Amino acid sequence: MIIKHRQERSEIIILRSLNVRMSLSDKEVTNYLNLKKGYEGEQKSDIWLEGLSEDWLIIHDLLLEYNNSKYQIDTLLISQDTIYPLDVKNYEGDHYVEGDKWYISAKKDGKNPLHQLSRCETLLRCLLRDLGYHYPLESYLIFINPEFHLYQTSINPSIVFPTQLNRFLKKLNTKPAKLNKRHFKLAEQLVALHLIDLPYPRLPAYAYGQLEKGTLCPKCYSFFSDLKGTKLVCGNCGCTEGVESAVLRSVTELMLLFPDRKITTMAILEWCKIIKSEKTIRRILVRNFKLIRNGRSSYYSNS
Ligand SMILES: [Zn+2]
């Protein structure tokens, strides 16, 4: 049973938008692609976990804090007598472990994900103890990408390789899963402690004036190139979308990028760019938002 679903992080959505609307440095693009790849891996792992018995509690994407230390748990599984924090990695290609060091194919020194795993486990154990729970924890590093290979000299039982995913799930499904109120209470408490948003220190600085205006295609994220009747057409992937849904997506995007900007007909006309009719924009805003009347500086709000 899924207690908390995974949502795409705002950080990725913002970076995807900036990547089209301004020019990002190589480092910023790499960071964006890494985050995106990580998220795709997490989504794959969510599908894999659909094979887990219904009796288990599943919490996706928890951001917790203990003693001012923040830590992220990709997926937390609650069974009858054990709690399993899973860290999902979408790595691909050859990786090497030598002693305590982790290398990527080009022999570049990478972070050892096992250190992150044990840090998370320690912080979570302290939090659970404070909440009065003493279930044992078993953390796993899940390598979801079949193109991943790790050269290592010793066997580490907390690593699950792509070829072991099915067997690992079968093993979990043999564990006792008679849950009671206390398990549900724990799940609720953890979800309540989830930190909604981080400031994103990795985001590049951006300003409204420097961003290219236009409406993005929801499939390939390039700018829509044509307006035919009530449909927008993407010149890159050929997909089409109704004007209303495209405008609403653009408003959401603008609000995420610039939470302080007021939503007005003129603001959205400028932001969407491809739609030239003030009347069309106003009609869509009136239908979907609340007009906050304030003379000449009236604006639309979604709350
Ligand atoms: Zn497209």
Side-chain angles (χ1 to χ4, degrees), residues 115-284:
H115 293 164
Q116 193 193 348
L117 190 74
S118 79
R119 173 181 175 268
C120 269
E121 186 175 308
T122 307
L123 292 166
L124 181 64
R125 181 171 290 118
C126 294
L127 177 70
L128 292 179
R129 190 197 53 211
D130 284 7
L131 293 172
Y133 298 94
H134 299 276
Y135 301 114
L137 292 178
E138 260 181 52
S139 300
Y140 289 95
L141 201 52
I142 307 289
F143 288 101
I144 198 78
N145 195 320
E147 299 296 318
F148 170 79
H149 186 76
L150 181 67
Y151 292 95
Q152 57 173 359
T153 46
S154 59
I155 293 169
N156 190 315
S158 51
I159 296 181
V160 180
F161 291 106
T163 49
Q164 298 174 312
L165 288 167
N166 284 336
R167 270 177 292 148
F168 180 71
L169 204 58
K170 269 188 197 154
K171 198 181 90 186
L172 291 186
N173 275 331
T174 63
K175 310 259 181 204
K178 283 218 173 63
L179 302 190
N180 58 36
K181 274 188 191 157
R182 208 169 141 71
H183 296 102
F184 280 87
K185 191 180 164 210
L186 166 62
E188 274 169 30
Q189 280 177 307
L190 290 175
V191 171
L193 286 170
H194 171 65
L195 306 170
I196 300 295
D197 246 349
L198 271 174
Y200 301 111
R202 289 173 294 192
L203 279 185
Y206 60 93
Y208 181 80
Q210 86 193 99
L211 299 189
E212 197 176 331
K213 313 299 184 284
T215 306
L216 299 181
C217 162
K219 283 237 174 75
C220 72
Y221 303 104
S222 50
F223 287 110
F224 274 123
S225 49
D226 285 298
L227 174 60
K228 287 190 181 139
T230 57
K231 294 249 186 252
L232 289 161
V233 183
C234 174
N236 185 47
C237 76
C239 104
T240 61
E241 185 182 22
V243 165
E244 177 150 348
S245 102
V247 167
L248 292 176
R249 276 193 309 104
S250 299
V251 173
T252 308
E253 185 190 346
L254 182 65
M255 294 196 316
L256 184 64
L257 289 168
F258 302 99
D260 296 332
R261 270 188 107 78
K262 294 266 184 277
I263 303 302
T264 64
T265 303
M266 295 321 279
I268 299 308
L269 196 69
E270 181 179 84
W271 179 244
C272 291
K273 198 174 165 191
I274 192 165
I275 300 148
K276 310 283 184 211
S277 158
E278 211 179 305
K279 218 175 95 188
T280 304
I281 300 280
R282 178 170 301 113
R283 188 170 38 85
I284 294 169

